[in-house]
Amino acid sequence: MRAALRSLAVAEEAHRPAGFGAERDELRALISQMGGLAEHAIRESMRCLMHRDSAGARAVVEADARLDALEAEAEARIVAFIARHPPSDEDLREAVAALKIVGVVERIGDYAKNIAKRVPQVDAGRSDIEPLSLLPAMARIAAEMVGDVLDAFVARDAAAAEQVCARDRSVDDFYDSIFRALLTFMIEDPASVGRAAHLLFVAKNLERIGDHATNIAEMVYFAATGARMPERQRGDDGIGGR
Amino acid sequence: MANRATRPIFAPVDIAEHERRLARGLVEALPEPILIVADGRIVVSNDAARAVLAGATEGADVRLAIRHPAALERLLGEDTAADEVALVGVGGPERRWALRVSPLSGGLRLVRLADRSDAHAAEQMRVDFVANASHELRTPLATLVGYAETLREAGDEVDAATRARFTAIIHDEARRMQRLVEDLISLSRIEGEKFSPPGDAVDLAALLEETGRAAANAAAQRGCRIAIEAPAGLPPVAGDRAQLLQLYDNLVANALRYGRSGGTVRISAAAHGEEVRTAVADDGEGIAKEHIPRLTERFYRVDATRSRSAGGTGLGLAIVKHIVERHRGRLVIESEPGRGTIVTVTLPAAAAAGAPS
């Protein structure tokens, strides 16, 4: 079946329409553009959270519709791409990876939107919640992971994708320490529970964003090499043991 | 396959070949990252742009190189606003750029990136400093107020032992605030004197002896030994005696604080040509490599709880760095986890430092 598919692909190679490469480029550019929207949404939602910018937060929520629209467009293109050309192994790999990446990028946008939605309820300007000072540092790493994995995607760089996965550990560490700090805070000051709970969700969203950046990295690795990323780079154990 | 991937894609907008060459020559001569974009494709990019933007190859879709939504509006849409777009984390973590798009003739758009990393880092440092300093002062202050209130409200119900314990805590926290304020003041004084080179000829051997004597008490408490190795006939260095004393006090205090309890702190000095090289070494657990570049930042701590409980202000090495800089010296921190840390300070000898102006 597979061999038949490949011979078909080889036969097809000669008859590929001139626009084939351009179509693939267009798809990559579209995914990169989506990634830019998601990356921007993370940074912007955190800026709004720290500066109590409710209007800015609303803009982040509204901008998510654009990401959803691009996701739909990208999906349609990927499906058409597979349908129109019997794909080679490499093309099929790239198309499948692209399909998954598009979905994950959209999810990252949703997490950023969720952070933005909490802005009016957190009132972060009241600096009495100490763990609040850890969130921007955590968000910076998460946003950097998203940015770096997009760079790896653009450059089809499997090694860079692996490095992104290694950083997920520090996002998880941040989450653990923020979780513990917020818990202590809530126990000591029950009046703060509402706001602290929102912050806990913000931290959780950032932690999920880090995980999703890792998922994209695995797809980039897969598309570039045809193999699954070695377990030690993906899982929770054995990364740069501390 | 490979063939297809590397095939150049020609821009739909046609620029005559010599014009393209002229544009490329101009753009390539400029140090800042520059792109020329036509119909959403990169027509020309320079080395600097390709170094910063992962996908900035000529012929590529511009969305592969630039992802920021506001920047893409200006590049792809009708939005011709001339204001800058701030790019964050592009070309390396913590790096910041201001992106500007200017329309050229024939539908071309010129994209320029100005590096704003330094300005942003300076501003960030200022903001962090104020935030950190107030945070550092607030923590002992809260303890102080808490214990004082307890003592006042409980009145005679507190037994003598508890009262003694509480007053000791109040005293320690007040001392900590005092040290912090002193460090902040001396840091700002040292910074203020940055451009006036110190003029005294300082005998380092005597100064290091004095440092050792001053630290004897603290060493005894930790069960540590201080070994000083300074040969006779060491040339004097051009320095500010009080500041140099503070420098070595800080280094020895750190070595005692983070050295092995019951270990040895070695202080050494030796002449090297026109310089005197001094070192303070401990045999503690050392510092992981990733922390070393940041140790001289204000309030940077490898382990905040441990540093505070050991009485550190978080400013010690920042002060050391500034004193060394004022003395036109060099500061090197080396450490091996499990083996210990060596801080080397090299200072110019008095004659070599040049005549006082």
Side-chain angles (χ1 to χ4, degrees), chain B residues 150-188:
Chain B
T150 312
L151 277 179
R152 201 184 55 187
E153 282 164 15
D156 296 337
E157 293 163 35
V158 184
D159 60 63
T162 312
R163 182 180 301 273
R165 196 161 57 82
F166 281 17
T167 43
I169 292 170
I170 290 172
H171 176 259
D172 288 351
E173 293 298 313
R175 274 290 297 143
R176 211 171 102 197
M177 289 180 68
Q178 198 178 19
R179 276 197 305 273
L180 185 56
V181 172
E182 279 163 6
D183 276 1
L184 282 170
I185 291 169
S186 69
L187 197 56
S188 87

Side-chain angles (χ1 to χ4, degrees), chain A residues 25-26 32-33 140 151, chain B residues 4 9 63 67-68 94:
Chain A
D25 282 357
E26 171 63 26
S32 178
Q33 184 181 4
R140 205 178 60 223
D151 283 348
Chain B
R4 189 160 13 95
I9 295 150
R63 287 173 292 174
R67 295 190 293 262
H68 193 290
E94 309 289 311

Side-chain angles (χ1 to χ4, degrees), chain B residues 28-339:
Chain B
E28 207 52 79
L30 294 166
E32 71 256 52
I34 291 187
L35 304 175
I36 297 177
V37 175
D39 274 352
R41 287 199 174 271
I42 298 169
V43 185
V44 175
S45 67
N46 64 359
D47 279 344
R50 288 188 294 269
V52 170
L53 304 165
T57 44
E58 292 182 3
D61 192 306
V62 72
R63 287 173 292 174
L64 291 172
I66 294 171
R67 295 190 293 262
H68 193 290
L72 285 181
E73 290 279 301
R74 286 167 179 62
L75 281 166
L76 304 173
E78 294 305 305
D79 185 356
T80 50
D83 59 326
E84 318 179 333
V85 177
L87 300 185
V88 182
V90 168
E94 309 289 311
R95 293 194 72 181
R96 301 204 161 226
W97 304 85
L99 177 145
R100 274 178 189 279
V101 179
S102 347
L104 304 176
S105 62
L108 298 174
R109 290 179 199 195
L110 179 73
V111 183
R112 288 172 298 162
L113 264 64
D115 194 343
R116 294 286 155 80
S117 311
D118 288 346
H120 184 264
E123 173 61 13
Q124 194 58 42
M125 209 181 285
R126 192 189 63 78
V127 172
D128 286 353
F129 178 66
V130 174
N132 286 334
S134 38
H135 170 73
E136 295 285 339
L137 284 169
R138 205 175 47 194
T139 315
L141 201 52
T143 317
L144 221 104
V145 170
Y147 280 97
E149 271 175 4
T150 312
L151 277 179
R152 201 184 55 187
E153 282 164 15
D156 296 337
E157 293 163 35
V158 184
D159 60 63
T162 312
R163 182 180 301 273
R165 196 161 57 82
F166 281 17
T167 43
I169 292 170
I170 290 172
H171 176 259
D172 288 351
E173 293 298 313
R175 274 290 297 143
R176 211 171 102 197
M177 289 180 68
Q178 198 178 19
R179 276 197 305 273
L180 185 56
V181 172
E182 279 163 6
D183 276 1
L184 282 170
I185 291 169
S186 69
L187 197 56
S188 87
R189 192 163 42 217
I190 297 159
E191 270 189 310
E193 290 173 337
K194 200 174 191 166
F195 299 107
S196 68
D200 308 344
V202 179
D203 175 5
L204 273 187
L207 190 121
L208 291 177
E209 283 296 333
E210 196 178 331
T211 305
R213 272 200 306 279
N217 253 337
Q221 275 173 23
R222 294 269 297 155
C224 289
R225 208 169 67 83
I226 297 180
I228 303 176
E229 204 180 302
L234 210 56
V237 298
D240 177 320
R241 205 185 136 71
Q243 285 187 4
L244 288 178
L245 206 52
Q246 189 180 10
L247 185 160
Y248 291 106
D249 278 348
N250 283 353
L251 292 183
V252 171
N254 276 348
L256 288 171
R257 205 171 280 150
Y258 302 112
R260 193 161 52 83
S261 93
T264 306
V265 172
R266 291 176 199 283
I267 309 174
S268 60
H272 276 262
E274 306 281 82
E275 296 174 328
V276 178
R277 187 179 302 168
T278 61
V280 176
D282 68 55
D283 49 7
E285 59 193 62
I287 305 160
K289 198 168 75 235
E290 65 267 25
H291 295 295
I292 291 181
R294 303 196 54 192
L295 291 176
T296 56
E297 282 176 29
R298 289 156 194 209
F299 301 117
Y300 183 83
R301 289 180 169 104
V302 175
D303 179 342
T305 320
R306 189 173 158 202
S307 161
R308 290 209 188 86
S309 69
T313 60
L315 292 172
L317 282 175
I319 290 174
V320 166
K321 184 184 111 180
H322 277 93
I323 295 177
V324 171
E325 277 175 4
R326 185 182 168 220
H327 284 74
R328 313 285 186 268
R330 291 190 306 277
L331 170 70
V332 179
I333 303 173
E334 293 160 296
S335 187
E336 205 180 315
R339 299 290 296 275

Side-chain angles (χ1 to χ4, degrees), chain A residues 11 55 61 159 170 186 214 229 236:
Chain A
V61 173
S170 61
M186 288 191 260
T214 309
M229 190 179 281
D236 295 312

